[in-house]
Amino acid sequence: RYASRRSFLAGVGTAATAGLAGCGGLGSETPTLTMLDWGYVYNNGVLEAFEERHGVTVERQAAQGSAESLSQMRAGRADYDLVPLGNYAVTPAMEEGLIQPLDLEQVPAYEDVFDFLKADYFEQNGEVYGIPRSFGQTPLAVNTDLVDADVTALADLWSGDLAGLAGGRDDARLQTLYRNAAFGEPLNPTSAEDVDFDALRTDLIDRLERTAGLWNNGGESEQLMRSEEVGVQPVWNYAIQSLQSDGLPVERVYPEEGTKAWFIQHCIREDAENPELAHTFIQEWHTMMGYDSLMTPNNIAVPNEQVFEEHDVDRASYGLDDPDQFIYEEPKPQSLVQQYTETWNTAKTEADL
């Protein structure tokens, strides 16, 4: 399966040395791996250790979200080697020539990535453009001191019992997915002809009229719960863990319709200056860094069989024993995304939120 760590590092060490000569002219400059990514991903000094192993520098720019990263690349403002993207963002980036095909011979760890995450829409002409690096879930967080109702489903967010208590992310695509799941509609239509936008707008207005607050990032989602402005909302699993660790009376509920799951892919920008170093980083994320960097501190899975086996981790502890329980936001045409955004914004205005 994997080469031994010693023999593998010997190989990448040679590659890094060659990269140093190539990137720095006569070796006068230290190669720099640039990335756009979230700060919570990197803990326990893994970036510093990577720099030391390979004699390079890693520069990370804070990411806001996959949609924003995609917009930056489209505008030519994302001058990075490594750009992690959500599953829905890989396809447009690939089709628009913004990312390059990955050399899987340089990333043998790909063989052990969970098969159910190797989506067909990450491939084009037989080549793979994104390798899943993390897998998480978005269950419902319920503050049992504030919420008396029995919350079991996404549909409960439309219940009058939760009026003034519900929260959610300010994201048109995501809220449309939740609405579709709650009302039994197709989850990911790919054509505007398959969407009743009048009904969608009405349902979103109903949801927003019961909503106490919206958020844009994990910190905001936690603050709404900590301040008790919001008592129930779909939120990232690691945020629920943080709230529980601080003693808040928050329960995790997996909705009857299915739990929204997300997975982030390592992608390499088409015009990356250091693609070899980026490949090395992806490989070592799976073989050396991911467990200590993300799984241990944040309870977010590195979706690789070898990682789970080496650290004796039960897949059930990450909800990965039953992949069929999840719902996903899948790629869709940009024109449809724009119509969702317009519908969501109209609903917010009409709901006075």
Side-chain angles (χ1 to χ4, degrees):
R1 294 157 73 86
Y2 296 147
S4 71
R5 180 170 295 184
R6 180 174 298 177
S7 63
F8 172 78
L9 288 178
V12 294
T14 301
T17 301
L20 174 60
C23 295
L26 297 176
S28 59
E29 297 181 9
T30 300
T32 298
L33 176 68
T34 57
M35 66 171 70
L36 183 67
D37 209 338
W38 297 272
Y40 75 84
V41 175
Y42 300 105
N43 299 285
N44 295 320
V46 297
L47 294 184
E48 294 80 2
F50 182 86
E51 291 176 323
E52 185 175 344
R53 281 196 300 275
H54 299 292
V56 301
T57 299
V58 177
E59 292 183 356
R60 183 189 65 82
Q61 176 67 38
Q64 299 300 315
S66 292
E68 290 79 4
S69 297
L70 187 58
S71 294
Q72 286 189 39
M73 286 196 291
R74 285 170 170 156
R77 293 185 288 106
D79 191 17
Y80 308 101
D81 297 312
L82 202 56
V83 182
L85 293 173
N87 51 301
Y88 67 87
V90 174
T91 297
M94 175 181 69
E95 293 178 344
E96 295 171 32
L98 301 174
I99 55 178
Q100 62 180 260
L102 299 168
D103 181 359
L104 297 183
E105 290 188 0
Q106 296 188 59
V107 191
Y110 179 73
E111 177 185 346
D112 291 310
V113 170
F114 295 147
D115 286 337
F116 77 93
L117 295 182
K118 294 178 179 177
D120 291 342
Y121 50 79
F122 295 160
E123 299 184 22
Q124 184 173 256
N125 299 325
E127 295 186 293
V128 174
Y129 284 75
I131 296 180
R133 75 103 191 268
S134 54
F135 178 91
Q137 306 167 44
T138 310
L140 291 166
V142 182
N143 185 320
T144 54
D145 281 358
L146 298 178
V147 178
D148 294 326
D150 186 19
V151 178
T152 62
L154 291 169
D156 292 331
L157 296 172
W158 276 261
S159 168
D161 292 338
L162 298 180
L165 290 171
R169 188 175 182 181
D170 190 1
D171 185 298
R173 297 182 314 273
L174 186 59
Q175 294 303 330
T176 298
L177 179 72
Y178 289 148
R179 175 266 186 182
N180 290 345
F183 287 81
E185 298 288 339
L187 294 179
N188 289 285
T190 57
S191 171
E193 295 179 356
D194 299 326
V195 180
D196 184 338
F197 285 97
D198 288 336
L200 173 61
R201 183 178 64 255
T202 297
D203 293 337
L204 292 177
I205 291 171
D206 288 346
R207 164 85 162 92
L208 287 164
E209 287 178 341
R210 293 166 172 77
T211 296
L214 297 174
W215 51 271
N216 290 291
N217 57 56
E220 291 178 3
S221 73
E222 287 191 42
Q223 183 57 34
L224 286 173
M225 299 289 293
R226 293 180 188 278
S227 66
E228 298 188 347
E229 183 177 349
V230 162
V232 55
Q233 63 180 347
V235 71
W236 294 311
N237 217 358
Y238 73 85
I240 297 176
Q241 178 178 320
S242 174
L243 294 169
Q244 292 175 334
S245 297
D246 289 342
L248 275 72
V250 174
E251 288 188 355
R252 180 184 288 105
V253 174
Y254 295 99
E256 294 172 354
E257 301 95 340
T259 301
K260 164 68 169 59
W262 50 268
F263 45 113
I264 304 295
Q265 284 54 241
H266 271 135
C267 301
I268 300 178
R269 192 172 59 88
E270 172 61 28
D271 297 323
E273 292 187 8
N274 288 296
E276 297 290 330
L277 195 54
H279 279 88
T280 297
F281 188 92
I282 296 171
Q283 170 67 9
E284 292 192 8
W285 173 260
H286 288 270
T287 60
M288 302 177 68
M289 296 187 287
Y291 180 78
D292 291 331
S293 184
L294 192 59
M295 287 183 70
T296 299
N298 289 323
N299 200 37
I300 297 174
V302 176
N304 189 295
E305 293 280 4
Q306 191 74 1
V307 173
F308 277 69
E309 291 176 8
E310 285 185 357
H311 298 281
D312 194 26
V313 179
D314 183 6
R315 288 180 63 158
S317 64
Y318 286 84
L320 289 167
D321 53 323
D322 181 18
D324 292 337
Q325 69 178 301
F326 302 118
I327 61 175
Y328 303 97
E329 183 188 349
E330 296 183 351
K332 51 187 63 69
Q334 183 60 28
S335 59
L336 182 55
V337 173
Q338 183 60 36
Q339 287 180 272
Y340 283 159
T341 301
E342 293 171 359
T343 303
W344 173 244
N345 288 338
T346 298
K348 287 194 294 181
T349 298
E350 294 191 26
D352 195 24
L353 193 67

